[in-house]
């Protein structure tokens, strides 16, 4: 046997004596899903698994309420309940006296339960501006949230939000337009849609109560014309009546004088003057 072979056997023998466990294959712990989003107060399923062929023990370290759904030699399926805040947990397995683990973060999302619509003002003249305001309180995360303003089925305005913060906050959208007469025959509403499919959550939407806008044609100018005409008539008619009255009185005076003069002439004609 060559000296190199003898040296190799000696190294292998010393390695087994000093590190008896080093010949075992390192094992891994896996968790699925790798990213879990749960709605506030909801529940979720977590699967813990390992490639260790004969793990002695496995479990899930968490302060949340849990139950075991299914269990096999190399995997365990858990359900967690009443998730009310963001939290962290750990899947673990013991294999040949060694502990392996994998950490998982749980994110809580808040669905758009309330969608509040406000028209300002609710009664407006044709051509005048009005504002549509939509608020979605206590929603998180903002990413994936789209707020759409509708006139019946027509989209007036749509806005998609950004932000990964998991603390609940308010989303608000405002839109201004000029009132048209046909707006009176439509209802206005607001739709909030949350799309978190990239985080394993289905699409959820919520719609506000519908509101109507009262639109009227401005009549202020016509009323001004009517007021001016009436005012002129009120001033003109009495003046005409006064002129007529005074004219009639003058005519009566003149006719009276003429009658007196005519009577006097007749009287003189019937009684001629006596000679001196």
């Amino acid at each position: 046997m060559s000296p190199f072979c003898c040296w190799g056997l000696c190294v292998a023998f010393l390695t087994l004596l000093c590190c008896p466990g080093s010949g075992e294959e390192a094992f891994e712990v896996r968790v699925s899903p790798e990213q879990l989003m749960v709605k506030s107060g909801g529940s979720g399923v977590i699967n813990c698994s390992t490639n260790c062929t004969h793990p002695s023990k496995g479990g899930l370290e968490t302060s949340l309420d849990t139950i075991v759904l299914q269990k096999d030699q190399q995997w365990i399926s858990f359900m967690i309940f009443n998730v009310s805040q963001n939290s962290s947990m750990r899947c673990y397995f013991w294999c040949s006296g060694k502990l392996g683990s994998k950490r998982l973060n749980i994110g809580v999302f808040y669905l758009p339960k309330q969608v509040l619509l406000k028209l300002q003002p609710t009664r407006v003249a044709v051509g005048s501006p009005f504002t549509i305001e939509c608020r979605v309180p206590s929603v998180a995360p903002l990413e994936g949230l789209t707020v759409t303003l509708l006139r019946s089925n027509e989209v007036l305005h749509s806005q998609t939000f950004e932000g990964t913060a998991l603390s609940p906050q308010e989303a608000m959208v405002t839109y201004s337009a000029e009132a048209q007469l046909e707006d009176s025959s439509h209802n206005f509403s607001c739709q909030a849609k949350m799309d978190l499919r990239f985080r394993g959550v289905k699409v959820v939407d919520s719609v506000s109560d519908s509101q109507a806008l009262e639109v009227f044609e401005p009549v202020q100018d016509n009323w001004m014309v009517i007021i001016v005409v009436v005012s002129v008539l009120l001033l003109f008619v009495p003046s005409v009546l006064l002129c007529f009255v005074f004219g009639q009185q003058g005519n009566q005076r003149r006719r009276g004088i003429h009658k007196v003069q005519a009577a006097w002439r007749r009287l003189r004609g019937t009684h001629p003057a006596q000679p001196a």
Side-chain angles (χ1 to χ4, degrees):
M1 182 179 295
S2 67
F4 294 103
C5 292
C6 292
W7 175 252
L9 291 173
C10 290
V11 170
F13 179 74
L14 291 174
T15 301
L16 290 173
L17 290 177
C18 297
C19 306
S22 61
E24 298 177 1
E25 183 180 355
F27 74 98
E28 295 180 353
V29 175
R30 294 180 290 269
V31 61
S32 175
E34 295 182 353
Q35 192 178 42
L36 181 62
M37 293 289 293
V38 181
K39 71 176 181 178
S40 178
S43 60
V45 176
I46 298 172
N47 296 308
C48 299
S49 62
T50 179
N51 61 352
C52 176
T53 55
H54 298 287
S56 58
K57 186 180 179 180
L60 181 67
E61 288 185 355
T62 178
S63 59
L64 297 172
D65 298 331
T66 62
I67 61 170
V68 176
L69 295 178
Q70 289 180 308
K71 185 176 182 180
D72 201 354
Q73 189 172 15
Q74 291 180 284
W75 59 269
I76 310 174
S77 180
F78 299 93
M79 176 172 281
I80 55 176
F81 296 93
N82 302 322
V83 183
S84 59
Q85 60 183 359
N86 303 328
S87 58
S88 178
M89 54 194 64
R90 189 175 66 144
C91 287
Y92 69 90
F93 285 95
W94 284 92
C95 182
S96 301
K98 292 183 179 181
L99 176 64
S101 64
K102 185 69 176 289
R103 187 169 294 277
L104 168 68
N105 292 322
I106 307 295
V108 176
F109 64 89
Y110 296 80
L111 296 175
K113 294 182 179 180
Q114 273 190 314
V115 182
L116 307 175
L117 180 69
K118 185 177 183 181
L119 297 178
Q120 293 181 313
T122 57
R123 187 175 186 270
V124 64
V126 174
S128 298
F130 71 99
T131 300
I132 308 173
E133 178 186 281
C134 181
R135 294 189 301 111
V136 186
S138 299
V139 62
L142 289 183
E143 65 173 344
L145 176 67
T146 301
V147 177
T148 304
L149 303 177
L150 301 168
R151 186 181 70 168
S152 293
N153 294 323
E154 176 190 358
V155 175
L156 295 177
H157 179 71
S158 184
Q159 181 175 337
T160 299
F161 290 81
E162 297 180 354
T164 58
L166 296 178
S167 56
Q169 50 195 306
E170 181 179 80
M172 184 171 71
V173 174
T174 57
Y175 176 76
S176 297
E178 289 188 356
Q180 306 297 324
L181 193 60
E182 59 268 20
D183 288 337
S184 294
S185 59
H186 295 277
N187 287 325
F188 292 84
S189 61
C190 177
Q191 180 189 56
K193 178 183 291 186
M194 178 173 281
D195 187 355
L196 296 176
R197 286 177 292 182
F198 61 95
R199 293 199 177 190
V201 181
K202 65 179 182 179
V203 179
V204 178
D205 61 2
S206 183
V207 182
S208 71
D209 293 334
S210 298
Q211 292 190 21
L213 181 69
E214 184 181 353
V215 183
F216 62 91
E217 294 187 21
V219 293
Q220 288 85 350
D221 295 341
N222 295 336
W223 278 109
M224 289 299 298
V225 172
I226 294 173
I227 291 173
V228 170
V229 171
V230 171
S231 300
V232 171
L233 290 176
L234 290 175
L235 293 174
F236 179 73
V237 171
S239 301
V240 172
L241 290 176
L242 289 175
C243 291
F244 177 77
V245 170
F246 287 125
Q248 290 296 321
Q249 289 179 351
N251 291 332
Q252 289 178 358
R253 291 195 191 97
R254 286 192 293 273
R255 285 197 296 270
I257 293 173
H258 292 323
K259 290 180 179 180
V260 170
Q261 291 176 347
W264 177 251
R265 284 194 296 269
R266 287 195 300 273
L267 182 61
R268 292 185 61 182
T270 55
H271 300 283
Q274 297 294 327

